Amino acid sequence: MASHRKSRPSGTRAAGIRTPALATAALTSVALFSQTAEAAPSADGKPSLEEVEKKVDALYRQAESATEKYNAAKERTGEQRKQVDTLLDDVAERTDRLNKAREELGSFAAAQYRTGADAPDTATLLLADTPQDYFDQTQLMSRLTSRQKDAVDDYVTQQSATMKKRQEAARSLETLTETQDDLKTAKTTVQTKLASARELLSQLTAAEKARLAAIEKQQEEAAARKAAELAKQQAAAADQEASSSSTSSGSSSGSGSSSAYATKAAKAIAFARAQIGKPYVWGATGPGSYDCSGLSQAAWKAAGVSLPRTTYDQVNAGTTVSLADARPGDLVFFYDDVSHVGIYIGNGMMIHAPKPGAYVREESIYYGGESIIHSVVRPA
């Protein structure tokens, strides 16, 4: 990625956004699992609860990464289809002009035939393979009238331009086909990963689901404590900034810029908060459902700011700031592949569309541990 990539702290990393429903424990709970007898492989050879959790977590992470690839391919497909349509329309128009130029050349030949004039072999001109053939036939050109020469020149120009446009349209069609293949591949990947995750979750017993729910609660409490620590740090930094600004002679312009951003961010957050409770659906951009980047794009659109469709592009659509300097409205990106995003609302919390089976909600940015936070971007 770009220069804004945060260095990851050493040690155990919590991988993946939490899985939906009861099976949402992140890998930060590995130590807790290992302390229980249930974490060990069962006598019947079935995978342990820990192993199932790891596999489900990885499948949902892979599904979300494939979702962003699907979103990107879908965007490219739409743009390329428009380009192909434009080129095909242009080819049709140029072909029509070429036919008219050919008819004009034919009319000269017919007129000279009727008058018995010594006419050049116009048919030879019409059957030439390439525009260069016309220019090579100097003995014929010398026998043409000025008007006939203009007609031939126009025909040559129209044929050359039409051939180039046809070649360009063919290349664009080939590119479109490749992108459509990428789209199908990404869609199949998402569906396959989600189906595999559902199958694994269906094999869990009620007792195992209960243990996962208990672990999830412990993790939420730990994330809340971490968020509270960040909130205190940001509050202290804000107080210090306000104190410095009040004694600085050049603080007015900076204050105005900060105020303008706060106004836009408030609109984005208000929109995102209104979506709480709506389901996560991969590839969705609203209004009834969203995926993570679809929600962030729609929220900032409500504030008058256009963001790209995918997390891969959104992470570059603004100014990267440190986590300690995060302000409400900033976008928080997760994982090394930048496959998830949430809208920061302050106090270490965000609004995001988590995963299939879950709903848009407020959650700590530390829900999967600090190590999965990739970067923070201020989009306006």
Side-chain angles (χ1 to χ4, degrees):
M1 284 299 298
S3 58
H4 54 257
R5 182 182 294 278
K6 291 169 61 68
S7 59
R8 287 165 43 195
S10 60
T12 302
R13 170 176 174 162
I17 294 179
R18 294 180 302 154
T19 54
L22 293 175
T24 54
L27 291 183
T28 51
S29 61
V30 169
L32 293 173
F33 278 117
S34 64
Q35 294 172 5
T36 65
E38 292 83 0
S42 58
D44 59 4
K46 291 176 59 179
S48 68
L49 181 59
E50 177 185 1
E51 291 170 337
V52 171
E53 190 278 331
K54 286 181 179 179
K55 290 179 180 179
V56 170
D57 186 76
L59 286 168
Y60 275 96
R61 280 279 299 108
Q62 292 164 10
E64 186 163 36
S65 180
T67 293
E68 290 304 311
K69 292 178 181 178
Y70 170 86
N71 292 339
K74 187 176 181 180
E75 287 288 292
R76 292 198 306 272
T77 297
E79 294 171 357
Q80 290 167 0
R81 183 174 288 112
K82 290 179 182 178
Q83 183 180 20
V84 167
D85 289 343
T86 299
L87 285 170
L88 290 178
D89 288 342
D90 193 6
V91 167
E93 182 179 346
R94 290 179 182 278
T95 300
D96 183 60
R97 292 201 297 266
L98 181 64
N99 290 335
K100 291 179 179 178
R102 182 183 290 112
E103 291 172 0
E104 185 174 5
L105 282 176
S107 68
F108 287 137
Q112 291 174 326
Y113 176 79
R114 287 194 299 270
T115 60
D118 185 14
D121 187 0
T122 308
T124 302
L125 293 174
L126 296 178
L127 294 176
D129 293 331
T130 68
Q132 186 62 43
D133 292 341
Y134 293 102
F135 295 104
D136 292 340
Q137 298 174 17
T138 56
Q139 64 274 35
L140 287 175
M141 293 295 290
S142 65
R143 296 164 56 191
L144 297 177
T145 66
S146 176
R147 184 178 176 189
Q148 288 172 325
K149 288 180 180 179
D150 289 342
V152 171
D153 287 342
D154 181 58
Y155 181 79
V156 170
T157 300
Q158 296 296 340
Q159 187 186 53
S160 177
T162 302
M163 290 174 61
K164 289 180 180 178
K165 283 298 178 181
R166 284 174 179 169
Q167 292 170 353
E168 186 177 353
R171 289 193 296 268
S172 293
L173 279 169
E174 183 178 356
T175 301
L176 175 60
T177 300
E178 292 174 353
T179 304
Q180 288 175 327
D181 289 341
D182 292 341
L183 186 66
K184 291 178 183 178
T185 299
K187 182 177 182 179
T188 300
T189 300
V190 173
Q191 294 172 330
T192 300
K193 299 300 181 183
L194 295 181
S196 298
R198 286 192 294 268
E199 174 63 22
L200 286 171
L201 291 174
S202 69
Q203 298 173 6
L204 295 179
T205 66
E208 289 171 331
K209 292 179 180 179
R211 288 198 301 276
L212 284 175
I215 292 171
E216 179 187 28
K217 184 176 180 180
Q218 293 177 348
Q219 292 176 330
E220 289 178 347
E221 291 173 350
R225 289 192 296 270
K226 189 69 176 177
E229 293 176 8
L230 176 62
K232 289 181 180 179
Q233 295 173 3
Q234 291 176 330
D239 289 342
Q240 183 176 2
E241 181 181 359
S243 177
S244 299
S245 296
S246 64
T247 58
S248 174
S249 59
S251 63
S252 58
S253 61
S255 176
S257 175
S258 177
S259 176
Y261 178 75
T263 299
K264 293 179 181 179
K267 292 180 180 179
I269 292 173
F271 178 92
R273 186 164 278 122
Q275 312 312 308
I276 289 177
K278 294 183 178 181
Y280 175 103
V281 174
W282 66 273
T285 57
S289 58
Y290 298 89
D291 62 18
C292 66
S293 57
L295 177 63
S296 56
Q297 182 188 49
W300 271 101
K301 182 179 180 180
V305 176
S306 296
L307 292 181
R309 173 64 181 95
T310 68
T311 55
Y312 310 132
D313 293 324
Q314 289 180 7
V315 74
N316 296 314
T319 303
T320 302
V321 299
S322 67
L323 182 59
D325 291 332
R327 296 179 184 175
D330 291 351
L331 301 179
V332 184
F333 294 90
F334 298 86
Y335 308 108
D336 282 347
D337 61 356
V338 199
S339 57
H340 189 68
V341 62
I343 303 166
Y344 190 63
I345 59 175
N347 297 324
M349 301 293 290
M350 68 177 172
I351 297 174
H352 70 149
K355 279 287 186 177
Y359 299 83
V360 176
R361 65 192 181 200
E362 290 187 14
E363 192 164 25
S364 168
I365 61 174
Y366 297 107
Y367 70 97
E370 185 175 5
S371 63
I372 69 169
I373 298 176
H374 175 276
S375 56
V376 180
V377 172
R378 189 157 298 150

